[in-house]
Every structure is written in structure tokens, then in C-alpha cells.
Amino acid sequence: MTSMKRVKKVLLALLMLLCACFLVADPEDGFYIVALIVSVSLTAYGVRTLLYYFTMARHMVGGKSILFIGIIVTDLGVFSLTTADDPKLFLVVYLLGVHAFSGAMGVLRALEAKRYASPSWKWSLLGGIANLTVAVLAVVAGLFLRSTASLSYLYAATLFYSACVQLVSAFRKTAIVYIQ
């Protein structure tokens, strides 16, 4: 990893930590800021993916999948910006969708790694189960308890965890493979 990528990861982690602290300090108003940040970041990622498709990926194998991902993510970002008036529903759907998908993929990845006798399958399984737990907690806190503060604290915890993972990956030594 280049030093510029490391700096970007550290800055992103610090921004995540700042947002998590803001959510913990003011859980009611923090919803709107989080909804805005998520919407803008989804839209920016979608536009960046579309630009990548039109500049390079249309000539690649599997380029159409990049086009579809760019269209879907851009649409999701714009849609989430329009639903920012009701951030509780937005945050429940976001937490449920992202963590349920990540959890299912983590469990499936762990089962595949176990089948190939990989030693890291336990960590993948643990991460998948943790993501599924966050999805269930988001549904319980948002739809059944109707607690805005609980959703804010849950989202702040996931932001804190993601920031810690970003910091660890930024300072981890990267292996360089030499072909002789």
C-alpha cells in the first residue's frame, strides 16, 4: 500500500470517529447529519463508478457489471437523500440491508474457507455473525422499540468498529511478492 493510500485510510478513519462521537453526543440531531453523509457518499461512489465505466471499464470483460453497480448505487444515494426527512426508517433500512448482506456473505465465505481447510474461517464466521446481529438489533431498535437514540448508538458503534478496522489496515505491513 502506498503512503498516500495510508494517509487516506487514516483520514477516513478519523472522520468516522468524529461522526461516531457526534452521534453519541447528540443522538437526535445526529441522524440528519448521518443521513446526509451516507447519501452524499453513496452518490459520489456511484458517480465515480460510472465515470470509471465510461473511461475504462466499458472495454473490459465484465464492464457491464460495473455499469449496473454504478447505476444502482447512484440511484440508492439519490433516493436516500430524498428520504432524509424520515431518518429513522432510512437508518433502519441502511443498517439492515448493509449488515444483513455483509453478514450473509461473511458466513458463506467462512463456510467456503472451512471447506478448503483455511485457518481464518473462524474470524470470517465471527464477523458474519456480528453483522447479522447488528441487522437484527437495527430491526428491533427501529421498528419494534421505535428508539431513535438506540439506533444512533448502534450506528455509532458500527462507525467506531469500521474506523478501528481502517486504522489497523492503514498501519499493517503489506507483503510484497517478488517473482524470480
Side-chain angles (χ1 to χ4, degrees):
M1 181 183 312
T2 65
S3 59
M4 190 60 166
K5 284 186 181 181
R6 290 184 196 275
V7 169
K8 283 182 184 179
K9 280 190 174 270
V10 168
L11 290 176
L12 179 66
L14 292 176
L15 179 67
M16 289 172 148
L17 286 174
L18 182 68
C19 288
C21 290
F22 184 73
L23 272 175
V24 169
D26 190 14
E28 298 298 324
D29 292 334
F31 255 35
Y32 295 106
I33 300 218
V34 168
L36 181 69
I37 289 172
V38 170
S39 300
V40 168
S41 63
L42 282 173
T43 306
Y45 177 72
V47 169
R48 191 176 71 194
T49 304
L50 288 173
L51 287 175
Y52 174 66
Y53 169 77
F54 288 118
T55 56
M56 288 181 55
R58 66 181 174 181
H59 305 292
M60 296 171 22
V61 174
K64 279 190 181 179
S65 65
I66 293 173
L67 173 67
F68 295 142
I69 289 171
I71 290 171
I72 290 170
V73 170
T74 304
D75 187 39
L76 184 63
V78 171
F79 174 73
S80 64
L81 190 60
T82 61
T83 61
D85 294 337
D86 188 16
K88 185 187 297 184
L89 176 67
F90 168 73
L91 198 56
V92 168
V93 170
Y94 174 76
L95 284 172
L96 175 68
V98 169
H99 287 286
F101 182 74
S102 297
M105 293 305 294
V107 168
L108 291 174
R109 193 176 304 124
L111 294 175
E112 182 182 11
K114 183 180 179 186
R115 188 174 40 211
Y116 291 121
S118 175
S120 65
W121 71 270
K122 293 176 185 174
W123 289 108
S124 294
L125 182 66
L126 186 65
I129 290 172
N131 276 324
L132 288 173
T133 304
V134 167
V136 169
L137 288 175
V139 169
V140 169
L143 298 180
F144 296 125
L145 298 178
R146 302 211 182 270
S147 172
T148 307
S150 299
L151 280 173
S152 291
Y153 294 140
L154 183 64
Y155 190 69
T158 59
L159 274 178
F160 181 75
Y161 173 74
S162 296
C164 291
V165 168
Q166 289 285 330
L167 282 174
V168 167
S169 69
F171 292 115
R172 180 179 292 152
K173 288 275 194 188
T174 55
I176 299 174
V177 178
Y178 293 104
I179 301 173
Q180 295 181 3

